[in-house]
């Protein structure tokens, strides 16, 4: 690579490039002839910003490419268009937080779907801003009313997206799991006559399929799960026949209902809608999921989030892509004879003041990130955030093949993180006593559970 002077002051600064010998490419089966043809069309010149540092180059050229790489990183990941209004002191703190955010995305500390969604929002912001600038530049003299309205619409969308990005960048709000409760649907409660309805869901319904249903129970048939959930009142039951379904209404569960499959869990699959951030979220007082397989694709919150009330999951398979099952403060969860696998964070996350009963489950291959297994805050099967201590009872569970600990208890410490880092208690002396007391408070019946991870139970200062 050599620098080629621009033909005029307005020309884009370009670099002259040639293929090194021997020819090699990081793209499989890239023919040399194709590379030569492309360079011929470009007159062996590319914009200077397309130059990247490569080991073994001339020192001067390498330093230029490295400097460009740093500038490119700054404008791609660090700089935001609204930063000009910040003071020097505030901006220094913002830069530090954004670098941490980028590192957490790169090393997998933040679940991959969450990192992908953040990048997508950031890219969308840049595109919208360019669209607004271009639209404004095309307005001649006095804008019309239509043009003013269109400018405000684009500007409002930009401001809303800017606010969302600022929330994502706040280190206190981007912990694994949901940011804030989002269910706005009003609870309908029971019907006035207190009667209940059984809602059947199947692509095609036959008389043979409903022959075992009680004649006294009113039946309503639906071709899709979304319509069935929309029609539910508290006390109703949704019966799903084998097949694959999607339903955005699963993210707004407010009624005390039972949702169950008719066969084995693997026969009835419910797949998340990638265009939504959430999959299954409940504020119901008492809701049950039975004999189902939940497949998370593209959503970033927990595969199941219990915001309030109580949820029971029985004989289900939860195939996570983002975080696992999240139980927020004051909510409770019962999971029996089920399987939780593939979570980017912990398989089960218990927030302070929550309650959970886990019995006869398999929790495995969670904390499925690129993060090193030596990270001191490695999560794994179950992550418990203490203060106030959640109420957890475990019995006859098998927790295995998770990157990290079987059970991680996050305990606040007065030791500054900058001075001591994140310290993990070892099973000796006071630490052993602390662990024993926490296990007693949490009612962890360790002897009835199989924990086959790196370390079965660990207390971590947070």
């Amino acid at each position: 690579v050599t620098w080629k002077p621009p033909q005029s002051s307005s020309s884009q600064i370009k670099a002259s490039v040639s293929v090194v010998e021997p020819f090699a490419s990081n793209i499989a089966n890239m023919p040399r002839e194709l590379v030569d043809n492309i360079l011929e069309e470009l007159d062996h010149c590319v914009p200077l910003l397309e130059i990247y540092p490569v080991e073994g180059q001339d020192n001067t050229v390498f330093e230029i490419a490295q400097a460009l790489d740093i500038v490119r990183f700054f404008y791609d990941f660090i700089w935001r268009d609204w930063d000009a209004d910040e003071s020097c002191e505030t901006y220094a703190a913002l830069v530090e937080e954004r670098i941490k955010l980028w590192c957490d995305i790169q090393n997998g500390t933040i679940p991959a779907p969450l990192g992908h969604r953040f990048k997508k929002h950031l890219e969308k912001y840049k595109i919208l801003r360019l669209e607004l600038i271009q639209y404004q530049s095309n307005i001649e003299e006095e804008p019309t009313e239509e043009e003013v309205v269109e400018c405000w619409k684009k500007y409002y969308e930009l401001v809303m997206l800017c606010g969302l990005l600022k929330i994502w960048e706040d280190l206190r709000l981007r912990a694994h799991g949901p940011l804030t409760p989002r269910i706005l649907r009003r609870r309908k409660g029971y019907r006035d006559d207190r009667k209940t309805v059984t809602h059947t869901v199947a692509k095609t319904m036959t008389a043979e399929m409903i022959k075992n249903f009680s004649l006294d129970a009113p039946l309503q048939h639906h071709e899709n799960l979304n319509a069935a959930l929309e029609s539910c009142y508290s006390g109703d039951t949704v019966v799903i026949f084998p097949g694959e379904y999607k339903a955005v209404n699963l993210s707004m569960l407010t009624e005390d209902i039972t949702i169950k499959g008719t066969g084995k869990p693997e026969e009835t699959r419910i797949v998340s809608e990638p265009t939504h951030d959430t999959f299954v979220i409940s504020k119901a007082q008492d809701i049950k999921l039975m004999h189902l397989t939940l497949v998370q694709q593209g959503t970033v919150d927990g595969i199941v989030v219990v915001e309030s009330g109580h949820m029971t999951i029985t004989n289900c398979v939860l195939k996570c892509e983002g975080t696992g099952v999240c139980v927020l403060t004051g909510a409770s969860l019962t999971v029996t004879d089920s399987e939780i696998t593939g979570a980017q964070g912990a398989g089960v996350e218990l927030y302070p003041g929550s309650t959970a009963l886990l019995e006869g489950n398999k929790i495995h291959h969670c904390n499925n990130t690129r993060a090193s297994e030596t990270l001191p805050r490695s999560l794994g099967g179950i992550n418990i955030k203490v203060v106030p201590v959640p109420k957890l009872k475990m019995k006859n569970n098998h927790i295995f093949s998770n990157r990290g600990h079987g059970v991680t208890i996050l305990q606040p410490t007065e030791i500054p993180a900058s001075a001591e880092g994140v310290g993990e208690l070892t099973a000796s002396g006071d630490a052993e006593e602390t662990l024993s007391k926490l296990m007693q408070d949490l009612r962890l019946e360790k002897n009835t559970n199989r924990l086959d991870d790196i370390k079965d139970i660990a207390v971590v200062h947070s």
Side-chain angles (χ1 to χ4, degrees):
V1 179
T2 57
W3 174 62
K4 185 175 183 178
Q7 298 299 315
S8 67
S9 58
S10 61
S11 297
Q12 188 178 37
I13 298 178
K14 294 189 174 184
S16 176
V17 299
S18 59
V19 179
V20 298
E21 299 292 348
F23 170 75
S25 172
N26 60 353
I27 301 176
N29 303 319
M30 171 72 78
R32 171 65 183 268
E33 294 77 13
L34 177 60
V35 177
D36 289 336
N37 291 338
I38 293 174
L39 288 177
E40 284 290 336
E41 291 180 9
L42 297 174
D43 193 26
H44 287 263
C45 289
V46 297
L48 202 61
L49 283 176
E50 293 185 15
I51 304 300
Y52 291 83
V54 178
E55 295 294 340
Q57 292 274 35
D58 174 80
N59 283 340
T60 303
V61 174
F62 178 81
E63 289 174 2
I64 293 173
Q66 194 173 41
L68 289 171
D69 209 28
I70 294 171
V71 172
R72 190 164 32 235
F73 169 79
F74 177 78
Y75 282 105
D76 283 347
F77 297 103
I78 305 301
W79 172 256
R80 306 287 186 265
D81 297 309
W82 58 82
D83 286 347
D85 299 330
E86 301 288 351
S87 65
C88 292
E89 294 79 8
T90 305
Y91 188 66
L94 282 175
V95 169
E96 183 176 354
E97 289 189 358
R98 288 172 186 166
I99 291 175
K100 288 180 180 177
L101 178 64
W102 180 83
C103 290
D104 285 350
I105 291 173
Q106 292 300 111
N107 66 24
T109 301
I110 291 179
L114 198 65
H116 175 72
R117 191 61 58 92
F118 173 76
K119 290 179 180 178
K120 191 167 74 171
H121 278 98
L122 186 58
E123 190 61 33
K124 183 180 179 181
Y125 175 87
K126 294 178 180 179
I127 293 172
L128 286 176
R129 183 173 181 276
L130 289 176
E131 287 179 356
L132 175 61
I133 293 172
Q134 187 174 20
Y135 186 83
Q136 290 174 324
S137 64
N138 290 333
I139 297 176
E140 298 179 357
E141 299 179 353
E142 287 295 320
T144 64
E145 288 185 8
E146 291 78 8
E147 288 173 332
V148 170
V149 170
E150 187 63 25
C151 275
W152 272 108
K153 283 171 60 179
K154 291 181 179 294
Y155 175 73
Y156 180 74
E157 188 176 2
L158 200 64
V159 169
M160 294 296 289
L161 197 55
C162 170
L164 179 62
L165 286 168
K166 287 182 177 180
I167 290 176
W168 282 59
E169 288 180 351
D170 191 323
L171 296 181
R172 295 166 297 176
L173 295 179
R174 62 179 179 80
H176 300 281
L179 299 181
T180 55
R182 279 175 295 278
I183 292 182
L184 301 176
R185 173 179 289 178
R186 183 184 296 274
R187 177 179 166 88
K188 292 189 289 187
Y190 289 87
R191 292 179 179 82
D192 293 337
D193 57 8
R194 303 295 290 184
K195 289 185 178 180
T196 60
V197 173
T198 298
H199 304 266
T200 57
V201 183
K203 302 292 180 5
T204 305
M205 180 63 71
T206 65
E208 182 71 19
M209 295 167 69
I210 60 173
K211 68 178 183 180
N212 294 326
F213 285 80
S214 171
L215 296 177
D216 298 330
L219 293 179
Q220 287 185 14
H221 176 65
H222 307 269
E223 293 184 354
N224 65 78
L225 179 56
N226 218 47
L229 295 171
E230 184 71 33
S231 304
C232 278
Y233 283 76
S234 288
D236 288 359
T237 299
V238 179
V239 179
I240 310 173
F241 288 87
E244 183 169 302
Y245 304 87
K246 289 185 178 180
V248 296
N249 279 335
L250 284 169
S251 64
M252 295 176 287
L253 297 172
T254 56
E255 307 306 323
D256 303 340
I257 60 176
T258 297
I259 306 172
K260 64 180 181 179
T262 57
K264 298 178 180 178
E266 57 269 21
E267 295 175 342
T268 307
R269 291 164 49 92
I270 303 178
V271 182
S272 63
E273 177 56 62
T275 58
H276 288 70
D277 289 347
T278 57
F279 188 5
V280 180
I281 300 184
S282 174
K283 271 192 174 180
Q285 294 303 307
D286 186 13
I287 188 167
K288 298 178 177 66
L289 303 181
M290 305 170 67
H291 318 308
L292 301 169
T293 292
L294 302 182
V295 182
Q296 186 181 25
Q297 294 180 354
T299 58
V300 296
D301 277 350
I303 188 169
V304 173
V305 179
V306 189
E307 291 193 347
S308 63
H310 178 256
M311 174 177 279
T312 301
I313 300 175
T314 303
N315 191 30
C316 290
V317 177
L318 278 57
K319 296 185 176 181
C320 312
E321 185 184 73
T323 50
V325 180
C326 299
V327 189
L328 304 193
T329 301
S332 61
L333 170 75
T334 299
V335 185
T336 57
D337 303 320
S338 296
E339 181 178 0
I340 302 173
T341 183
Q344 295 289 328
V348 178
E349 292 219 8
L350 302 181
Y351 283 68
S354 60
T355 303
L357 168 63
L358 308 177
E359 184 170 353
N361 305 294
K362 293 181 180 179
I363 303 174
H364 61 95
H365 293 92
C366 294
N367 195 29
N368 184 25
T369 66
R370 298 189 302 271
S372 167
E373 293 184 5
T374 61
L375 284 175
R377 288 191 62 177
S378 293
L379 305 179
I382 300 173
N383 180 29
I384 303 170
K385 300 179 180 180
V386 180
V387 180
V389 177
K391 296 178 181 177
L392 170 65
K393 185 173 182 179
M394 296 173 55
K395 186 177 180 181
N396 298 330
N397 299 285
H398 188 193
I399 303 174
F400 62 98
S401 299
N402 301 291
R403 294 185 65 182
H405 309 298
V407 178
T408 303
I409 302 170
L410 297 181
Q411 185 183 31
T413 178
E414 295 182 356
I415 303 174
S418 57
E420 297 293 336
V422 180
E424 181 181 305
L425 298 181
T426 58
S428 61
D430 295 338
E432 185 175 359
E433 183 179 343
T434 301
L435 180 57
S436 177
K437 184 177 185 305
L438 279 171
M439 288 178 62
Q440 184 177 358
D441 291 341
L442 292 166
R443 294 198 293 175
L444 296 181
E445 299 177 22
K446 179 179 175 183
N447 294 335
T448 67
N449 298 278
R450 289 179 58 194
L451 289 81
D452 299 334
D453 289 312
I454 302 172
K455 290 186 178 180
D456 49 9
I457 298 179
V459 179
V460 175
H461 288 309
S462 60

